[in-house]
Amino acid sequence: MAKVEETLKRIQSQKGVQGIIIANAEGIPIKTTLDNASTVQYAGLIHQLLMKARSTVRDIDPQNDLTFLRIRSKKNEIMIAPDKDYFLIVIQNPSE
Amino acid sequence: MASKRPKSTASNKGKEKKNNAASPIESVGSAHPDNIFPMVLTSATQELFGCRADEDVTGDNPYKLLRREDIVQDMKTRAAVSDFSPVKQAVLDYPGEEMLLVFDRDFTYGQSFYLVLTVDAMERMLRPPEPETEEAQEDESEDMLMPTTPVPQPWVPLGSDKEIEDEIYRDSRPRLKYRISRLRREFGAPVVFSDRSAAETKDAFMECASYEDKSFSLREMEGSRGVQAIPDVKAASTQTKWTYPKNMCTQYEPRQLSEKEKNKCLQSKKLKNFVQSVAIRFELAIQQNEIMDVFFNDWASLSEEDGAFGGKADTHLKEYQSFTDLHHSREKTISHINWHPTITGVIAVAMTERLSFEERICGATKLVLNPSLILFWSFSDPINPQLMLECPDDVLSFEFCPSDPNIIVGGCMNGQVVLWDISAHVDRLQGTRSGGGGKNMANDTAAYQGFESKHENETPVVRYCAVSGIDSGHKAPITDIQWLPESFEVSRTGVPLENKTGICVQIVTCAPDCSVMIWDIRVPRVATHSLGEERKQKMEDRPLNNPHCAANPFKHLDLSWKPLMKVSLPKIDTSGEYSPYKFCMRHNRSDSQVATVHSERSEVPDYSLLRVPSAKQLKTMEDICTKFYVGTEDGEMVYTDWKMEKDNESGKLFSPKPSHRYIVHDGTVNTVCRSPFFEDIILTVGGWRFAIWKEGVMNGPIFLSQYSQTRCTTGCWSGSRPGVFFIGKEDGNIEVWDILEKTHEPSQVQTITTARITSIKPWIVSSKQHLLAISDHCGTLHILEIPWTLRSHSGNEKQSISKYFDKEVERLIYFEKRQEMREKEKKDKEAEEQRLKTQLPDKSMEQIEEEAHREYKDYLAMEKVILKDMGLLEDM
């Protein structure tokens, strides 16, 4: 538990990081540093995108799997790392 | 003959038998003599036909069907003897094959037998129960009136079928059948066709010419049609729309885990492993982003700095409009300008007399006749001012209230503070903005009182609502006046407190009588109750002395207004006080919830209901900076605190000594202006130079301009670019300084007018239009448009400017350090010298002589040697 906290804190302290969300495989957030409304929204939407991206990668090559997803937008960058049971979302503003 | 008798008897009998004549069927059946023929049958005939009385036919079974053929045969054989002879004709006419003979036991018709002559009657006879039952039924129904559902009866034809039968086509004879045959071998024989002309042989063909057949031109004159009446039928159809339910909208809630479940998940080993494995990827990605932003569009951001390529005309301030009033600004000058904070295109100027102090005293009587005014100009009307505010004396400085732009406070030359309320005339000001001018006024003033509606085209003059008491205010002309922001208010001791009202209620004024005063526009709190009551009564009794204003919101202040607090500025090192000319406070805008809630209110508060609260009720605000800069008449900059300190000995409150004082300017400091972009950068203008200060840096100004040829009379920061400010000069020029471009001289100098510039104020109308209001000594107000180069700033200009300032601060610090070092060096050197000096008198005079002698000897020897070498000295 402490190790998890420590890792998250390390990520959070990087320059420009706005928020971190850990969600389970169904898209229900477990831990977050943002407010509840944003968290729920992010978790739900990104879960769908993640499913789609993963299925895309696996359709092209069944031996392959999605490891990391980065969405770059005008205002910030959303980074998602999926896993079998959980996925982690980090939102960063790189220009700060 | 025989028929007559039974006719009468039959009819009589019929009437007796049947008591009701309602059923014509029975009466017809029994009393009609045509259908039956009573007759006698001899026993021989009876035996012959098998209808012996009481044997074959009985009372119970009186009917006997005889074959007609037999009767005819009998008549033929026995001719006249036959019993049937009287009915011979009827029998022969009889259509059916069997005739009914009825044994009439009771002799109802006069004879023992009767013969039924018609088929109908026969039928009826044979089925007697029907009439009887019908009769019985009718009796029943009459007695009991029991409604029974009608049972469908078989249809009894009453003669209509005859007509239908006439119309029906029936085969009168059986259809003919023909059979035609041909020998089999004759079928399929080859056919040979040959041509033959029709005209050659006339008989070779048969012609069947058509002719008009008369039988087909018959006109039917009469026709018979069968008609059947049926009940009304109506055909209708309908189509139903298939409606099916479908979801209009769905309301859903996201799934969330409970705290327990979340904790369970967080504790699980799986999560730990996951986070560990994934964190590396993230760090890589985040650091990538940090190092370089790959999506940064260099090309697009390059264009921002390119804008300076314009013609020379682009950098000039263009004249937009200029305002001069013929009546009021003839001999006057403008002392202060202010844009209206909410209504665009409206600007207010304070007109003062263009006289020096002695002239004022000499011409004091004349001045009383000419009232001083603040004029409101609108862009839509350059000739007539929109509104005029009457002042008790010349106003040197005035300000709009930030929370309520209808309240204006001004400081006069005689030391009074004046309050105006222009809420009655706001419509006029707003109406002119739309450009309606006279037409709008006609509509608006109809709602006004009848007195004012006559003067539609004249500018309304608004009298002041409240003015401070002459003895309690300043003793010198008020040179600067400012509102305190609505986030806090100040108590009697200068402690900043939370402002519950959410509006600006306090004003700070300064005057060269060495005092800075804080005023409150609310009803003051009084210490003792008795005085309070007296004062309240006094205020109520005093009549309204403003005939123009219907309601005076500041009635409670008029003529009795006292300052809340007085801050004096004692000199630091000498006795005496500084005489402030202008001051500048920090923009203390705290995020208190009260302020934000109240700022959304749009209604105008009733000022007479507001009371100064006790200092104990409100909480002190810690983060308000109570220090401020003051520019004095002698050119000094003083940094002091307005919070009063308590003298421990006497318990009195007194103002603390200012913390810092700088002598920078050679003349009166006429502008102390804070930058709108940086909280702690202040521009001061005075004498022949200007300076930029950073609050917190106590060493000195971080930027000091060089002395210019002409006096700098006023200055202000640009509203859109952080590094640009304008300086007004004595000769009517405007200097545009851009720190990023040049720091030793202005980037641009433009001549606006010939008289001295008295005030500059910028205003941002829209992103495309930035205006600069400049007033001069002649009383003319110029509005200039700021060109694109001076109003648009590049993205990181603020950063560059702040970096520049930081650099300057560092320079200052370094400079000071160096100075200190130099001082120290100098001190050391002096000490050395002193030491050396004190060391020299140790040597005695004899020693010094001896040394000198020895040196002289050495010198002589050297001289000899040289002369010898040169051959000048003869060897002696």
Side-chain angles (χ1 to χ4, degrees):
Chain A
M1 179 67 181
K3 270 209 160 174
V4 166
E5 287 281 346
E6 193 200 303
T7 315
L8 292 179
K9 234 186 225 45
R10 207 167 66 230
I11 297 178
Q12 176 81 28
S13 64
Q14 302 267 12
K15 188 164 92 107
V17 171
Q18 287 173 339
I20 305 179
I21 304 167
I22 304 181
N24 71 352
E26 292 175 355
I28 306 174
I30 294 172
K31 186 157 171 60
T32 172
T33 61
L34 301 169
D35 58 290
N36 196 28
S38 311
T39 302
V40 152
Q41 197 180 26
Y42 266 108
L45 293 169
I46 286 177
H47 176 247
Q48 295 174 34
L49 185 66
L50 195 60
M51 290 298 116
K52 196 73 181 176
R54 182 184 259 159
S55 68
T56 307
V57 169
R58 290 187 81 121
D59 276 349
I60 292 169
D61 179 11
Q63 309 282 338
N64 209 354
D65 195 7
L66 183 70
T67 54
F68 203 66
L69 187 62
R70 277 167 93 161
I71 304 165
R72 187 73 164 89
S73 72
K74 268 201 272 194
K75 294 191 184 169
N76 49 23
E77 176 155 346
I78 305 169
M79 288 168 266
I80 308 143
D83 189 63
K84 198 161 71 75
D85 310 303
Y86 305 95
F87 59 97
L88 181 65
I89 306 166
V90 172
I91 304 143
Q92 185 197 21
N93 190 353
S95 59
E96 265 180 34
Chain B
M1 43 176 190
S3 60
K4 277 185 192 173
R5 216 176 4 119
K7 192 178 182 180
S8 56
T9 53
S11 59
N12 285 338
K13 286 275 164 61
K15 279 179 191 162
E16 280 170 34
K17 196 178 181 182
K18 314 285 179 220
N19 40 14
N20 58 335
S23 51
I25 300 164
E26 298 93 359
S27 52
V28 163
S30 53
H32 199 241
D34 294 337
N35 289 346
I36 50 174
F37 188 78
M39 53 208 263
V40 179
L41 290 174
T42 59
S43 50
T45 322
Q46 282 180 20
E47 278 182 30
L48 193 66
F49 282 101
C51 56
R52 285 188 288 263
D54 293 327
E55 283 178 29
D56 293 320
V57 290
T58 58
D60 295 324
N61 187 16
Y63 300 111
K64 181 80 181 168
L65 284 165
L66 306 172
R67 284 183 67 239
R68 183 176 153 263
E69 295 295 324
D70 293 339
I71 299 170
V72 170
Q73 195 71 34
D74 178 55
M75 278 192 295
K76 277 185 187 161
T77 48
R78 294 206 285 171
V81 186
S82 168
D83 294 326
F84 294 99
S85 52
V87 291
K88 183 180 173 184
Q89 192 58 43
V91 170
L92 287 170
D93 290 334
Y94 192 72
E97 282 203 8
E98 286 189 332
M99 294 188 79
L100 182 68
L101 180 73
V102 184
F103 174 58
D104 196 3
R105 202 191 169 137
D106 301 321
F107 288 86
T108 45
Y109 296 116
Q111 303 294 343
S112 57
F113 286 90
Y114 62 84
L115 187 73
V116 177
L117 295 175
T118 59
V119 181
D120 296 333
M122 184 179 82
E123 301 282 308
R124 248 174 273 128
M125 288 291 165
L126 287 174
R127 293 170 193 88
E130 286 180 30
E132 286 172 64
T133 53
E134 266 190 45
E135 191 191 27
Q137 270 180 8
E138 264 196 346
D139 286 340
E140 269 183 51
S141 66
E142 274 188 3
D143 292 338
M144 294 190 203
L145 285 168
M146 243 174 52
T148 54
T149 54
V151 179
Q153 309 285 338
W155 186 55
V156 176
L158 294 172
S160 59
D161 55 344
K162 215 185 258 180
E163 290 173 1
I164 292 170
E165 276 194 27
D166 288 340
E167 298 289 319
I168 290 174
Y169 288 108
R170 289 192 205 279
D171 290 336
S172 49
R173 55 165 171 81
R175 295 191 178 204
L176 300 170
K177 288 184 188 167
Y178 289 100
R179 190 161 154 216
I180 303 163
S181 64
R182 193 176 166 200
L183 284 175
R184 174 79 180 73
R185 62 169 175 273
E186 288 174 15
F187 281 95
V191 183
V192 176
F193 289 109
S194 61
D195 291 332
R196 191 164 56 162
S197 164
E200 280 177 42
T201 48
K202 285 203 180 157
D203 298 328
F205 66 93
M206 289 285 289
E207 196 178 43
C208 230
S210 64
Y211 65 98
E212 213 180 309
D213 193 350
K214 294 288 174 198
S215 65
F216 288 102
S217 62
L218 283 172
R219 246 189 85 205
E220 203 176 344
M221 299 300 288
E222 240 182 43
S224 68
R225 291 280 179 277
V227 176
Q228 182 177 21
I230 54 165
D232 251 338
V233 291
K234 196 156 74 167
S237 67
T238 171
Q239 172 96 21
T240 54
K241 221 172 161 181
W242 178 46
T243 53
Y244 56 95
K246 64 180 170 185
N247 269 339
M248 190 70 176
C249 59
T250 322
Q251 184 174 10
Y252 56 91
E253 231 179 52
R255 279 181 299 174
Q256 300 205 12
L257 295 174
S258 68
E259 282 296 324
K260 220 171 58 173
E261 287 173 346
K262 276 193 202 174
N263 281 331
K264 203 173 83 166
C265 274
L266 285 169
Q267 306 282 353
S268 70
K269 209 167 186 335
K270 278 189 189 173
L271 187 81
K272 213 164 75 170
N273 291 340
F274 161 68
V275 172
Q276 299 285 54
S277 64
V278 145
I280 304 166
R281 290 174 229 168
F282 274 106
E283 285 185 2
L284 194 73
I286 292 172
Q287 278 166 5
Q288 272 179 357
N289 281 339
E290 260 182 74
I291 293 167
M292 194 179 110
D293 187 7
V294 287
F295 295 98
F296 182 67
N297 194 351
D298 299 309
W299 174 248
S301 53
L302 199 61
S303 68
E304 276 183 2
E305 291 143 23
D306 243 13
F309 286 150
K312 247 209 153 196
D314 278 344
T315 58
H316 269 239
L317 301 162
K318 278 180 277 213
E319 175 103 7
Y320 183 77
Q321 212 165 9
S322 110
F323 296 101
T324 318
D325 189 49
L326 302 165
H327 305 289
H328 301 287
S329 45
R330 201 166 289 159
E331 296 290 318
K332 292 202 180 177
T333 172
I334 298 178
S335 58
H336 201 75
I337 317 175
N338 250 324
W339 291 88
H340 196 284
T342 47
I343 307 177
T344 52
V346 174
I347 186 169
V349 293
M351 316 290 298
T352 56
E353 293 289 335
R354 232 189 289 164
L355 305 167
S356 73
F357 189 60
E358 288 109 39
E359 288 167 359
R360 263 179 208 276
I361 297 175
C362 297
T365 45
K366 209 166 50 169
L367 285 175
V368 172
L369 296 171
N370 279 0
S372 327
L373 297 165
I374 293 180
L375 302 176
F376 273 73
W377 292 100
S378 165
F379 284 170
S380 54
D381 193 353
I383 303 173
N384 298 316
Q386 298 310 121
L387 198 60
M388 295 200 282
L389 302 181
E390 201 183 304
C391 335
D393 205 348
D394 284 345
V395 167
L396 289 178
S397 178
F398 70 98
E399 285 290 329
F400 287 90
C401 173
S403 56
D404 182 8
N406 292 336
I407 307 294
I408 303 161
V409 70
C412 294
M413 204 137 236
N414 57 5
Q416 282 182 313
V417 180
V418 192
L419 269 172
W420 290 276
D421 181 11
I422 58 164
S423 38
H425 303 274
V426 169
D427 300 329
R428 198 192 146 92
L429 287 174
Q430 276 173 339
T432 56
R433 184 67 199 94
S434 63
K439 286 179 198 161
N440 277 357
M441 287 306 106
N443 296 333
D444 286 339
T445 52
Y448 284 178
Q449 297 160 12
F451 173 69
E452 288 177 29
S453 62
K454 293 177 199 164
H455 312 275
E456 273 176 20
N457 294 327
E458 272 189 30
T459 320
V461 179
V462 180
R463 220 176 123 80
Y464 45 88
C465 294
V467 78
S468 70
I470 294 181
D471 48 350
S472 52
H474 285 281
K475 312 273 186 302
I478 297 180
T479 48
D480 201 4
I481 188 165
Q482 273 182 29
W483 289 86
L484 275 180
E486 62 247 19
S487 48
F488 69 99
E489 60 174 82
V490 171
S491 74
R492 275 183 197 279
T493 56
V495 175
L497 303 165
E498 190 187 339
N499 184 358
K500 287 235 155 73
T501 57
I503 52 167
C504 295
V505 288
Q506 293 189 330
I507 307 159
V508 186
T509 63
C510 83
D513 65 347
C514 312
S515 62
V516 173
M517 293 194 185
I518 300 183
W519 306 72
D520 199 305
I521 62 172
R522 298 173 290 189
V523 178
R525 243 169 67 91
V526 281
T528 56
H529 290 283
S530 56
L531 268 176
E533 281 177 23
E534 266 184 51
R535 196 169 299 189
K536 271 191 196 158
Q537 277 181 347
K538 262 195 194 163
M539 283 190 333
E540 282 164 17
D541 293 338
R542 191 177 292 134
L544 273 170
N545 42 10
N546 288 331
H548 287 248
C549 298
N552 188 356
F554 299 107
K555 198 167 51 161
H556 51 275
L557 298 169
D558 202 10
L559 292 175
S560 63
W561 202 4
K562 269 192 175 168
L564 188 70
M565 194 182 99
K566 182 172 156 171
V567 180
S568 64
L569 306 162
K571 289 206 178 170
I572 295 177
D573 37 3
T574 57
S575 68
E577 287 171 339
Y578 295 110
S579 49
Y581 202 78
K582 291 269 181 205
F583 68 94
C584 177
M585 295 178 301
R586 213 181 160 100
H587 287 158
N588 285 307
R589 242 171 248 132
S590 63
D591 305 304
S592 68
Q593 281 177 340
V594 178
T596 45
V597 161
H598 283 279
S599 62
E600 287 151 13
R601 256 198 343 202
S602 54
E603 72 218 30
V604 176
D606 196 358
Y607 292 100
S608 52
L609 295 177
L610 295 171
R611 297 272 181 279
V612 178
S614 127
K616 297 169 209 141
Q617 292 170 359
L618 303 170
K619 76 168 193 227
T620 320
M621 308 203 85
E622 306 293 331
D623 50 350
I624 302 287
C625 175
T626 55
K627 300 193 187 225
F628 60 108
Y629 277 94
V630 179
T632 65
E633 250 185 336
D634 306 320
E636 296 154 324
M637 278 295 296
V638 178
Y639 188 58
T640 181
D641 194 340
W642 76 57
K643 241 195 307 209
M644 307 275 261
E645 279 176 5
K646 219 169 189 161
D647 192 8
N648 290 328
E649 298 163 352
S650 56
K652 265 196 335 186
L653 294 165
F654 69 96
S655 300
K657 286 212 167 166
S659 45
H660 298 274
R661 179 209 34 130
Y662 313 93
I663 303 180
V664 163
H665 303 283
D666 305 306
T668 316
V669 175
N670 49 47
T671 309
V672 180
C673 178
R674 219 169 261 266
S675 168
F677 291 90
F678 301 99
E679 277 273 325
D680 48 1
I681 301 290
I682 298 154
L683 170 74
T684 60
V685 178
W688 280 270
R689 68 211 287 212
F690 65 87
I692 299 180
W693 308 77
K694 190 171 161 98
E695 199 163 348
V697 173
M698 294 300 144
N699 309 333
I702 56 175
F703 180 83
L704 204 54
S705 80
Q706 45 167 228
Y707 287 97
S708 68
Q709 305 280 20
T710 47
R711 286 175 94 100
C712 304
T713 50
T714 184
C716 83
W717 290 93
S718 157
S720 50
R721 286 187 66 184
V724 172
F725 50 91
F726 304 96
I727 304 286
K729 290 293 223 265
E730 211 182 8
D731 54 359
N733 285 349
I734 286 272
E735 284 182 0
V736 180
W737 286 77
D738 186 355
I739 300 182
L740 285 180
E741 206 184 309
K742 283 189 261 195
T743 55
H744 62 282
E745 62 173 19
S747 62
Q748 205 182 314
V749 180
Q750 193 170 339
T751 310
I752 306 291
T753 138
T754 49
R756 138 173 96 91
I757 306 237
T758 51
S759 185
I760 308 178
K761 274 276 160 73
W763 185 251
I764 298 174
V765 174
S766 67
S767 64
K768 291 267 165 65
Q769 198 180 36
H770 289 211
L771 300 174
L772 196 65
I774 298 171
S775 65
D776 65 8
H777 196 60
C778 296
T780 317
L781 175 70
H782 304 265
I783 309 282
L784 299 161
E785 206 172 318
I786 301 180
W788 188 85
T789 49
L790 288 175
R791 68 167 181 253
S792 66
H793 61 98
S794 54
N796 47 2
E797 190 171 317
K798 190 164 173 186
Q799 278 177 342
S800 318
I801 298 281
S802 62
K803 273 191 204 143
Y804 171 76
F805 286 142
D806 292 337
K807 214 169 57 173
E808 291 296 311
V809 170
E810 277 176 25
R811 175 187 69 85
L812 264 180
I813 295 170
Y814 172 74
F815 196 68
E816 271 213 7
K817 275 213 188 104
R818 288 296 294 185
Q819 275 205 327
E820 276 173 31
M821 244 175 66
R822 285 279 149 74
E823 284 282 329
K824 217 175 76 173
E825 267 182 25
K826 203 168 153 190
K827 262 198 213 137
D828 289 341
K829 204 164 153 197
E830 270 180 22
E832 267 286 327
E833 273 179 29
Q834 277 290 346
R835 215 167 21 90
L836 281 168
K837 265 200 200 139
T838 49
Q839 272 179 9
L840 277 171
D842 288 345
K843 281 191 192 163
S844 62
M845 285 303 292
E846 289 162 351
Q847 274 185 316
I848 294 167
E849 263 194 35
E850 226 184 84
E851 269 188 40
H853 206 70
R854 213 187 308 140
E855 274 184 40
Y856 187 65
K857 267 195 189 154
D858 289 334
Y859 168 72
L860 281 176
M862 197 176 67
E863 198 189 12
K864 242 190 203 170
V865 166
I866 291 170
L867 285 174
K868 216 181 195 178
D869 284 335
M870 284 167 67
L872 295 169
L873 192 67
E874 288 156 6
D875 207 3
M876 290 166 61

